[in-house]
Amino acid sequence: MDKSMLAGLESLPEAYQQRMASMMEQVQIRDRAVARRIQNMGWRADGGLWLFVRGGGLYLSKGTGLTEEFEEVPVQSR
């Protein structure tokens, strides 16, 4: 995490500055497979996840269990 993000915190007490610095070191930026907001999600019968996102996208996880790898499934409309 870029320490320059702490630049505006000089007016805070030292303890708060240290706490914020510690929290920012723990933040992990991740590229998400789905940039849209999740509308609904659940488990499939085979143990994988399905996600329904705003805008009508359906995504299925690759494999079983918790994962961040999804593939979009085309859904035919009327």
Side-chain angles (χ1 to χ4, degrees):
M1 182 65 57
D2 187 7
K3 296 289 185 185
S4 66
M5 296 178 74
L6 297 172
L9 303 176
E10 296 92 16
S11 61
L12 294 175
E14 182 67 28
Y16 289 133
Q17 290 180 24
Q18 290 175 355
R19 187 179 304 164
M20 288 296 292
S22 174
M23 287 190 307
M24 292 181 82
E25 288 175 3
Q26 296 173 14
V27 171
Q28 296 178 357
I29 305 299
R30 298 181 182 169
D31 292 327
R32 301 290 183 193
V34 180
R36 297 181 179 165
R37 292 180 182 247
I38 297 172
Q39 188 76 28
N40 205 345
M41 66 186 293
W43 295 100
R44 300 190 317 252
D46 66 358
L49 286 171
W50 61 268
L51 302 174
F52 185 71
V53 298
R54 288 189 178 175
L58 176 63
Y59 292 84
L60 301 177
S61 65
K62 296 180 180 179
T64 60
L66 296 176
T67 182
E68 291 188 16
E69 295 182 28
F70 289 85
E71 59 185 349
E72 187 170 11
V73 178
V75 178
Q76 294 181 349
S77 61
R78 299 182 213 175

